[in-house]
């Protein structure tokens, strides 16, 4: 996939469309909300920008034996949240405004942090099968073109043509879900005979990263006495990342399909844990009403 038209054209273009759709759901107020509830945003950013990459390194070092898979896990941990985290937060009856705000801010910040974190991961887990020289300029440019630019364009359309944006956004979200499913199938198929061994190595580690970070996000929110809806959103935002972005970076910038495998596994795990979290939150709500 690394040298195919799919990875070099279809994947970036599709992610551009998906991020454009996310921009259609954003407004300038989403970035300004950091002033409205600074404590919740600060806690979310601490969990997502600091604790999550650190946990990615720890789990990769302890449980992932293949260097390329270890780098892939750290890359995944360095990625921002995405539309999936907003969707899960919404259905889990979290604070959607907080969820969107964190997704918007981290999508901008990770243009700077991803090259740093991935460069460190390559240095820590390097071997002959993993490229040592990180094309930082290309990575930053790629991140700008497929994150900040389409998000900005989507916000511009939202500001100028609100009704059009509201009609397009759910359609693009549906496209994103379908495309992610197709992407997972392609990555798994291309691993061929080595797939089973890599699944054993990467699968449990990605699930562990997802579960541990959701738990840490929840505990942070409880520790700092955030309200119930904010706790739900912090839990999701810290624990659910933009796996499609991780796959694109692995495939087009690092040119290694194996590095993309943890993100593909994570895409399956996050729907399992996210769905379970939604069910638990709905059960909590019904129980509270009954009492």
């Amino acid at each position: 996939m690394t040298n195919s038209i799919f990875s070099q054209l279809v994947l970036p273009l599709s992610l551009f469309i998906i991020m454009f759709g996310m921009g259609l759901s954003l407004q300038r107020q989403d970035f300004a909300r950091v002033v409205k509830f600074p404590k919740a945003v600060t806690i979310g950013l601490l969990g997502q920008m600091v604790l999550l990459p650190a946990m990615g390194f720890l789990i990769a070092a302890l449980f992932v034996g293949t260097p390329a898979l270890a780098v892939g896990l750290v890359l995944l941990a360095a990625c921002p949240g995405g539309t999936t985290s907003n969707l899960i937060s919404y259905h889990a009856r979290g604070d959607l405004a907080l969820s969107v705000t964190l997704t918007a801010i981290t999508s901008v910040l990770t243009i700077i942090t991803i090259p740093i974190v991935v460069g460190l991961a390559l240095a820590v887990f390097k071997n002959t099968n993993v490229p040592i020289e990180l094309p930082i300029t290309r990575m930053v440019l790629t991140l700008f073109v497929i994150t900040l630019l389409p998000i900005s364009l989507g916000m511009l359309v939202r500001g100028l043509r609100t009704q059009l944006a509201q009609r397009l956004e759910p359609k693009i979200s549906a496209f994103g879900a379908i495309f992610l499913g197709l992407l997972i199938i392609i990555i798994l198929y291309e691993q061929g005979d080595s797939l089973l061994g890599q699944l054993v190595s990467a699968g449990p580690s990605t699930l562990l990263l997802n579960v541990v970070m959701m738990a840490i996000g929840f505990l942070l929110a409880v520790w700092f006495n955030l309200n119930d809806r904010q706790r739900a959103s912090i839990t999701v935002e810290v624990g659910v990342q933009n796996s499609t972005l991780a796959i694109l970076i692995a495939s087009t910038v690092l040119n290694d399909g194996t590095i993309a495998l943890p993100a593909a596994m994570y895409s399956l795990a996050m729907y399992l844990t996210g769905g379970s979290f939604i069910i638990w939150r709905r059960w909590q709500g019904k129980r509270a009403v009954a009492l």
Side-chain angles (χ1 to χ4, degrees):
M1 186 172 74
T2 54
N3 294 318
S4 67
I5 293 177
F6 183 86
S7 65
Q8 300 300 322
L9 180 61
V10 177
L11 178 54
L13 180 60
S14 298
L15 187 56
F16 185 97
I17 294 171
I18 293 169
M19 299 306 286
F20 173 76
M22 190 175 85
L24 292 174
S25 67
L26 297 176
Q27 303 178 70
R28 285 181 297 176
Q29 299 95 295
D30 295 320
F31 292 88
R33 286 195 187 100
V34 65
V35 178
K36 184 177 180 180
F37 33 73
K39 183 169 75 170
V41 172
T42 301
I43 293 168
L45 291 177
L46 170 66
Q48 199 165 4
M49 304 300 295
V50 179
L51 300 182
L52 178 58
M55 184 58 65
F57 270 104
L58 180 62
I59 293 176
L62 292 177
F63 302 111
V64 183
T66 305
L69 294 177
V71 172
L73 188 69
V74 175
L75 165 61
L76 175 65
C79 285
T83 53
T84 301
S85 65
N86 301 151
L87 183 64
I88 294 174
S89 182
Y90 170 76
H91 286 293
R93 296 175 178 171
D95 188 328
L96 184 59
L98 174 60
S99 177
V100 170
T101 298
L102 286 170
T103 296
I105 294 174
T106 55
S107 294
V108 174
L109 292 178
T110 48
I111 292 178
I112 299 172
T113 59
I114 287 178
I116 297 173
V117 174
V118 173
L120 182 58
L122 289 171
V124 171
F125 302 109
K126 63 183 177 180
N127 83 338
T128 55
N129 296 320
V130 180
I132 306 305
E133 295 297 329
L134 180 67
I136 294 179
T137 302
R138 183 185 175 193
M139 181 177 286
V140 171
L141 181 61
T142 300
L143 287 167
F144 171 80
V145 171
I146 49 88
T147 57
L148 187 58
L149 179 59
I151 287 174
S152 300
L153 291 175
M155 292 179 65
L156 180 62
V157 173
R158 173 66 181 260
L160 297 176
R161 301 287 298 276
T162 303
Q163 291 184 343
L164 175 63
Q166 291 173 340
R167 289 199 303 270
L168 288 176
E169 194 273 330
K171 294 180 175 62
I172 295 178
S173 294
F175 164 77
I178 295 171
F179 179 77
L180 180 58
L182 175 63
L183 195 55
I184 293 170
I185 293 172
I186 292 174
I187 292 172
L188 296 181
Y189 173 78
E190 289 198 340
Q191 296 307 308
D193 296 336
S194 63
L195 176 61
L196 182 59
Q198 291 174 340
L199 287 179
V200 171
S201 179
S205 300
T206 55
L207 178 61
L208 181 63
L209 177 68
N210 183 211
V211 172
V212 167
M213 288 313 302
M214 288 184 74
I216 288 176
F218 178 80
L219 291 174
L220 278 174
V222 171
W223 180 269
F224 286 97
N225 199 32
L226 299 183
N227 64 45
D228 181 65
R229 295 183 64 205
Q230 289 175 334
R231 291 176 186 177
S233 290
I234 294 294
T235 300
V236 174
E237 285 299 317
V238 172
V240 176
Q241 309 312 307
N242 190 338
S243 55
T244 311
L245 178 59
I247 292 172
L248 181 137
I249 294 173
S251 302
T252 64
V253 179
L254 300 178
N255 295 315
D256 192 328
T258 305
I259 295 178
L261 190 60
M265 293 295 93
Y266 185 88
S267 300
L268 300 174
M270 71 181 182
Y271 283 111
L272 174 64
T273 56
S276 300
F277 185 67
I278 290 171
I279 293 172
W280 178 68
R281 286 280 300 168
R282 293 295 181 95
W283 175 80
Q284 260 196 334
K286 290 181 181 179
R287 185 183 179 191
V289 171
L291 294 176

